[in-house]
Amino acid sequence: MTTEREKRTAKRAMAGRLSWGLADQAVCSMTNFAVGIYVARSLGLAAFGVFSLAWVTYGVVLSVSRGLATDPLVVRFSGVPTASWRAAAARSSGTALGVGATIGAVCLVVGLSLGGHVGHAFAALGVVLPGLLLQDAWRYSFFAAGTGRKACVNDLLGGATLVPALLVADRVGSVEAFVLAWGAAAAVAAGYGCFQSGIRPRPSEARAWLREQRDIGYRYLVENVGVSGASQLRAYGLGAIVGVSAVGVVRGAELLLGPFLAVLMGLSLVTVPEAARVLRQAPHRLARFCLLLSGGLAAAALLWGVALLLVPDRAGELVLGDVWRAASELIVPAALGVAGSSLGIGAAAGLRALAAARRSLRAQLFASTCYVGGGLGGAVAAGAIGSAWGVAAATVCSSAVWWLQLRSALRERHQNPIHEVRTP
């Protein structure tokens, strides 16, 4: 029988883990925000559009790495004995490093073949992908172990290293220089992650890891690529329909939402581990946990959107330069889009905790299809602002599907209770 004291202790522990998640993502997202602002102000709208194409491509590769390497780690090795976590973290981080090296080589070859500003940016991305993915793998490994403080320290080091790297890139004055600077800082943090964890990544065991996690890993791969791939298709489609500058406008609107997205991403680092712990300790509370999470995030997104509407043009131009005027027109639909997607975050965390990979895959494929259709359909109808409104409508519809899938998964678990906690 759980005592009141034990309940209070568990709540304090959860609050501590959530706080470290917020702190870590605040550092990470504000670093990314600073990079975006610096590039936008230094290179102008067209070059910022090229940088944004490289950025969304990195997002796709990151989704591949997370689906194959870190998502199975978080679902199955959160709150397990230290020895089990260490063995899994070595194989998971090795898998992430292998994904970075393999896809990085492809990006390098394709980039050099293309040439020009876009090709050089992609070639630079290929060089830095291994370090970027390894650093991200350490972050998720630390949160799976409940040691979010280490992830936060790691990102602080990466942010501090990024400052002189950006100054050097600014002197060079090219998109590829900024991509290399961003990746070099991540590589330093990735190396420090090995020291923090005392674990050496094992790429040689990546095949064994993929084989052991294939029942959920490949579904998470498709699901994650559906998210980032949809963003990439929208960006490429928007560039083809309206122009590369429109990609920069949309990215500028996303930067305005950066501080809130930092909170959102920070919570996403810990929501699945926490949902998994709730499922193990008090499964009847999982639905309530997911509902409170979604409602709170959606309300916060709307409040941030209102705050952005009150920002004077002079302050906006100080931050984004020439990008501000066009990006500010997208504040309302962009904020509604983030609020709409926030409504589904709790349900998505619940499905991950339940290891209901088939249901989460269905929901994500539907969401990605809506995202691309709304974003490109809106672009055809009304350019960048039409694309933003199309995405806002798509996210609300998608969140409803996430909740329908979670309700079905909870009903199935109630009828056929299966406790899945896998350790080596």
Side-chain angles (χ1 to χ4, degrees):
M1 189 76 176
T2 304
T3 65
E4 289 298 322
R5 184 175 181 179
E6 289 173 336
K7 289 181 180 178
R8 288 194 297 269
T9 301
K11 288 180 179 178
R12 283 196 297 269
M14 179 186 291
R17 290 189 293 267
L18 289 172
S19 297
W20 279 117
L22 288 172
D24 171 70
Q25 190 59 42
V27 173
C28 182
S29 293
M30 295 314 293
T31 298
N32 292 341
F33 179 74
V35 171
I37 294 297
Y38 204 84
V39 175
R41 291 183 60 83
S42 299
L43 300 181
L45 189 57
F48 185 55
V50 174
F51 182 84
S52 297
L53 290 177
W55 188 280
V56 296
T57 303
Y58 159 70
V60 176
V61 181
L62 182 63
S63 297
V64 174
S65 176
R66 287 178 177 175
L68 295 177
T70 54
D71 283 344
L73 176 75
V74 169
V75 169
R76 287 178 165 159
F77 295 91
S78 292
V80 301
T82 302
S84 296
W85 171 81
R86 288 181 63 84
R91 290 179 293 163
S92 174
S93 59
T95 302
L97 190 58
V99 170
T102 302
I103 302 182
V106 175
C107 286
L108 180 61
V109 171
V110 171
L112 293 176
S113 300
L114 287 175
H117 294 302
V118 174
H120 292 160
F122 275 80
L125 179 64
V127 172
V128 300
L129 273 176
L132 286 166
L133 297 189
L134 181 58
Q135 188 203 11
D136 185 75
W138 287 132
R139 294 173 66 221
Y140 276 77
S141 297
F142 291 142
F143 279 106
T147 55
R149 176 181 58 83
K150 291 184 178 180
C152 188
V153 171
N154 190 280
D155 272 324
L156 282 170
L157 174 64
T161 307
L162 187 59
V163 175
L166 285 177
L167 293 176
V168 173
D170 190 34
R171 293 178 66 88
V172 177
S174 65
V175 176
E176 57 268 26
F178 281 100
V179 174
L180 290 172
W182 164 46
V188 171
Y192 183 60
C194 298
F195 172 78
Q196 286 178 293
S197 62
I199 296 172
R200 181 170 60 86
R202 298 186 179 277
S204 60
E205 297 187 18
R207 182 174 297 179
W209 173 261
L210 294 175
R211 184 172 58 251
E212 292 172 8
Q213 310 302 327
R214 65 182 178 275
D215 58 325
I216 62 173
Y218 290 111
R219 287 194 176 100
Y220 288 156
L221 166 65
V222 177
E223 182 181 330
N224 290 353
V225 170
V227 178
S228 54
S231 297
Q232 190 175 27
L233 285 175
R234 181 203 179 191
Y236 288 166
L238 188 61
I241 295 168
V242 186
V244 175
S245 295
V247 181
V249 171
V250 170
R251 177 60 182 156
E254 292 173 352
L255 286 174
L256 294 174
L257 290 161
F260 174 75
L261 292 175
V263 174
L264 193 65
M265 294 300 295
L267 287 175
S268 72
L269 284 170
V270 291
T271 50
V272 176
E274 290 306 319
R277 289 185 177 93
V278 171
L279 183 63
R280 287 188 176 96
Q281 298 168 8
H284 61 284
R285 296 179 181 173
L286 180 62
R288 183 172 181 268
F289 171 84
C290 296
L291 185 61
L292 290 174
L293 176 64
S294 288
L297 290 175
L302 293 175
L303 288 174
W304 184 256
V306 171
L308 287 176
L309 291 174
L310 301 177
V311 174
D313 286 339
R314 182 173 298 179
E317 290 171 357
L318 183 64
V319 175
L320 285 181
D322 295 338
V323 180
W324 162 257
R325 193 163 298 278
S328 63
E329 297 178 359
L330 273 61
I331 289 175
V332 172
L336 290 175
V338 174
S341 62
S342 297
L343 289 172
I345 286 177
L351 286 170
R352 285 289 176 95
L354 290 164
R358 183 172 298 177
R359 289 196 172 277
S360 62
L361 176 59
R362 291 174 189 167
Q364 188 54 65
L365 289 177
F366 177 83
S368 298
T369 302
C370 287
Y371 182 91
V372 174
L376 297 186
V380 171
I385 192 167
S387 180
W389 278 110
V391 166
T395 57
V396 174
C397 296
S398 302
S399 291
V401 173
W402 278 108
W403 278 101
L404 289 173
Q405 291 294 334
L406 178 61
R407 186 179 67 174
S408 297
L410 288 171
R411 186 184 300 118
E412 289 173 357
R413 188 180 189 279
H414 179 71
Q415 294 171 352
N416 303 294
I418 299 175
H419 303 283
E420 181 186 353
V421 179
R422 181 177 299 187
T423 57

